[in-house]
Every structure is written in C-alpha cells, then in structure tokens.
Amino acid sequence: MVVEKLRAGERLDGLPSQQIQIIQNPDMFSYSLDAVLLAYFAKPKQKGRGLSVDLGAGTGAIGLFYAAKVTGQVKLVELQQDLAEMAQRSVVLNHLEKRVSVIQSDMQEIFTEIKPGSVDTVLSNPPYFSLNEKTKQNLDEHYQLARHEIAIDLPRLAQVANKLLKNNGKFYLVHRPDRLEDIMSSLAARKLAVKRIQFVYGKADREANMVLVEAIKSGKPGGVRILPPIIAYTAANEYTPQVQEILYGQPWQL
C-alpha cells in the first residue's frame, strides 16, 4: 500500500489488466474509460521498441497504460504543472522511471525536448469542445484546459503530431463522434491518412459517444477500416464482457 504517496484530495485509480496505478485528484482532473480504450486501441510499431509520445497527458493515464504493452521509451507531455507532477509521481509509483518520462510543456514548444521526425507513435486524448460564443466552460482552470480547445485545437494538434512522427509513424486519437468531420479534415490537411476507426457506445441502443482513430503519417489515401463497435455498458449498467476483459482480463498482447 502506498498511501504515503498520496496528498490531500488525491486517490489511486488503476487498470488491473496492466497492473498500473494512477494518482489522481478529482478536483483537478480524472481520466475515464476513453483513456483506457485509446491505450488498448493503439497498436505498437516494431513490437513497441521505438519512441512513443502522449500529447496532453494529464495525469499520465494513457501513456502509462500504453507503456505496459511496449518495451521502448514513452514520453508524457503535459502543459499543466500540477497534472504533470502527479503523472511523474505515478511513473515512480509504477517503477517505470527507466522507460517513461514526463515533460511539463506546451506541446507546441516540445521540439527542443523531442526531435522532430523521431517518434514512432503519438497518442492523444485532446480537449473535446471547440470554443465559440455558446461554449459553456467549466469554471475550474484545470478542467477548462482539459476539456476546451483553449491551448490546442485539432488542426494544431495534427500539426504537432505530424512534426513529431517519422514517416509511416502512427497517430492515435480519441474524441467525440460529432467532431469526426473536423478530425478527418485536420488530419488530411497535415498528411495524416486515417486507416482505422472504431466507435464506442455507452449502451447498445444509444448513439456512439466516443470515436477511436488511427492515422499514418504520409500514408496512402483510402483503405479506411471501420472496426466492430465497443459497447461499454449492459442494460443493467454493468460493464459488458468486452470492456470487463479490457479492464480486468489478461495483460494486453504486443
């Protein structure tokens, strides 16, 4: 038990299938199922020996979950100091200091820390909501930056991913289905060819509430695969067997 590592307002959440624990503070920001599913959806290149980068890492959930199924280096890039500091403590908590590092930085200023064209895989769970006159922003600054396109938007995120990636490197994104047109146009404009799409549904009789996207830098156009859907909950509000296996089953295979 590592209670001594927790501070006021913090708690430990984890992913049993990967034996990873994450330090979180719900008053600032907490990861949810979208982070788990993106890490699960992402397919490592070269058996995961290369460099992977999590952009907008928050408390480090995606990068740490993904690190459990690769052997190479993973860098977590997070703008907010408080979240980056929690992510760093989670790296230590999980004994991953030799492979996982945290960089507290605006992702658009990361290129002195991470050489352009050096990354095999980029992952991101970016802010979902665009800014306009009708935007209802959360009053808390941590949630504003995490949920709304204040510090980064889809075109700039795609530009950063393109600059970081090697040719044929992969970009993995989780977002809202109602932003799919923006996602596709932003990726295409920056030579990121979409290759796989998987929709996630809260329940079988509802509209999709999440979309997972894989794109390849300088990939050939066409050939997009729409994967079978992921259904999160049963009618009784319990995790489906599919999601239970992701959360609690065997370690994810390379």
Side-chain angles (χ1 to χ4, degrees):
M1 193 66 178
V2 290
V3 175
E4 70 275 11
K5 294 183 180 292
L6 299 181
R7 300 175 184 174
E10 293 181 347
R11 71 185 188 209
L12 276 180
D13 291 316
L15 181 55
S17 64
Q18 303 305 294
Q19 298 183 350
I20 294 292
Q21 293 182 306
I22 307 293
I23 298 171
Q24 303 208 92
N25 186 330
D27 292 333
M28 295 183 185
F29 178 77
S30 297
Y31 77 86
S32 54
L33 187 60
D34 48 5
V36 177
L37 294 180
L38 181 62
Y40 177 79
F41 175 77
K43 289 186 174 182
K45 292 194 64 180
Q46 301 177 4
K47 295 185 179 180
R49 293 189 294 266
L51 173 61
S52 301
V53 174
D54 178 5
L55 294 176
T59 55
I62 293 171
L64 285 166
F65 297 156
Y66 183 75
K69 67 177 188 177
V70 300
T71 57
Q73 295 290 310
V74 179
K75 296 185 183 295
L76 315 179
V77 180
E78 172 52 42
L79 173 63
Q80 299 188 64
Q81 184 175 354
D82 291 339
L83 301 185
E85 191 272 339
M86 270 191 283
Q88 179 58 47
R89 287 191 286 129
S90 290
V91 170
V92 174
L93 174 65
N94 291 283
H95 309 292
L96 287 169
E97 303 97 311
K98 292 183 178 180
R99 291 200 302 111
V100 181
S101 57
V102 180
I103 304 172
Q104 195 259 308
S105 172
D106 185 323
M107 68 178 73
Q108 298 170 98
E109 306 294 332
I110 200 62
F111 303 105
T112 56
E113 299 274 357
I114 305 175
K115 182 180 177 181
S118 67
V119 180
D120 289 88
T121 304
V122 171
L123 307 99
S124 187
N125 178 7
Y128 286 165
F129 302 103
S130 59
L131 285 176
N132 55 53
E133 292 181 359
K134 296 182 180 180
T135 297
K136 294 181 180 179
Q137 293 188 39
N138 191 295
L139 295 177
D140 181 85
E141 181 182 4
H142 297 287
Y143 278 94
Q144 281 189 23
L145 289 170
R147 293 179 175 176
H148 300 281
E149 293 181 330
I150 297 171
I152 194 74
D153 58 16
L154 279 167
R156 288 182 291 165
L157 173 64
Q159 183 176 4
V160 171
N162 175 282
K163 189 171 180 178
L164 286 173
L165 285 168
K166 301 175 181 178
N167 276 335
N168 296 313
K170 292 185 177 182
F171 179 41
Y172 290 99
L173 178 73
V174 59
H175 217 292
R176 288 170 54 92
D178 60 7
R179 299 293 305 278
L180 189 57
E181 182 179 0
D182 295 334
I183 294 167
M184 300 291 280
S185 62
S186 296
L187 296 180
R190 282 133 190 102
K191 298 182 179 179
L192 294 165
V194 173
K195 292 300 177 183
R196 289 195 304 144
I197 294 175
Q198 188 167 32
F199 292 99
V200 181
Y201 297 77
K203 291 185 177 180
D205 60 349
R206 296 182 182 177
E207 294 185 3
N209 59 4
M210 205 183 305
V211 63
L212 303 162
V213 179
E214 174 194 85
I216 297 179
K217 178 178 177 178
S218 301
K220 294 180 180 179
V224 180
R225 296 168 55 204
I226 307 297
L227 303 186
I230 295 174
I231 312 297
Y233 295 96
T234 67
N237 294 318
E238 298 176 344
Y239 284 131
T240 61
Q242 181 183 19
V243 171
Q244 285 186 24
E245 177 63 25
I246 293 171
L247 294 174
Y248 306 110
Q250 297 298 314
W252 304 337
Q253 298 298 311
L254 290 178

